């Protein structure tokens, strides 16, 4: 089963579901794991990789990467206030050291605006532009199609999984 995602340029995008056999052993062609914890780790990493690939393909027609989308998402949540690149880095999913370079690329596309921080000249304040907000609104309109990938889980299962993942991170 594939989901078709129509875009403005009349191309369609297919979201690739994981094969119906969901066992991680089958996915990575490994006979067994030495423990359920190691199986869980492999399962989380494999699923994360698959989901990142889906998101990358979803964002491609919009001309931005996952990391750029992440920055825009954080800036929209702060809008109209600015964030320094340091503050941005602290709020990103999957913190990265090249935040300044990503912000520069977003500025070249007209999606963010950079200004010298008035309180600390070593910092740069970043805000999302109207063009950046409009792009996120376009993405928001299409996001339910990407969300369908998750809907093989019931709402209750999604709530349980979210709580388990939060507990896993809390204990680290």
């Amino acid at each position: 089963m594939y989901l078709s995602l129509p875009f403005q340029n009349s191309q369609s995008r297919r979201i690739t579901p994981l094969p119906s056999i969901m066992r991680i052993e089958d996915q990575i062609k490994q006979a067994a794991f030495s423990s359920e914890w190691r199986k869980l780790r492999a399962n989380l990493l494999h699923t994360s990789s698959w989901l990142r690939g889906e998101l990358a393909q979803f964002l491609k027609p919009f001309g931005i990467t996952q990391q750029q989308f992440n920055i825009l998402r954080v800036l929209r949540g702060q809008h109209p206030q600015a964030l320094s690149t340091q503050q941005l880095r602290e709020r990103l999913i999957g913190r990265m050291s090249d935040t300044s370079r990503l912000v520069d690329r977003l500025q070249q596309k007209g999606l963010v605006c950079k200004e010298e921080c008035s309180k600390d000249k070593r910092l740069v304040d970043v805000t999302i532009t109207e063009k950046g907000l409009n792009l996120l609104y376009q993405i928001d309109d299409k996001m339910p199609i990407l969300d369908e990938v998750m809907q093989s889980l019931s709402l209750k299962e999604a709530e349980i999984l979210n709580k388990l993942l939060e507990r896993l991170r809390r204990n680290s």
Side-chain angles (χ1 to χ4, degrees), residues 24-96:
I24 187 67
E25 293 90 345
D26 298 333
Q27 290 287 311
I28 64 172
K29 296 175 182 25
Q30 180 169 328
F33 289 90
S34 59
S35 73
E36 282 298 313
W37 309 118
R38 289 181 183 173
K39 178 178 178 178
L40 175 60
R41 185 181 313 113
N43 220 334
L44 286 171
L45 291 170
H46 185 71
T47 303
S48 174
S49 176
W50 166 77
L51 190 55
R52 287 176 193 267
E54 291 301 315
L55 183 57
Q57 288 301 312
F58 175 79
L59 292 172
K60 192 179 267 186
F62 297 102
I64 60 172
T65 66
Q66 295 172 62
Q67 295 88 355
Q68 291 170 339
F69 172 68
N70 195 5
I71 288 172
L72 291 174
R73 179 193 58 78
V74 170
L75 289 172
R76 176 173 61 179
Q78 197 65 34
H79 184 69
Q81 294 176 323
L83 286 176
S84 70
T85 51
Q86 180 181 3
Q87 290 171 312
L88 258 175
R89 196 174 299 117
E90 292 167 359
R91 296 180 186 199
L92 295 174
I93 296 172
R95 289 172 179 65
M96 58 200 91

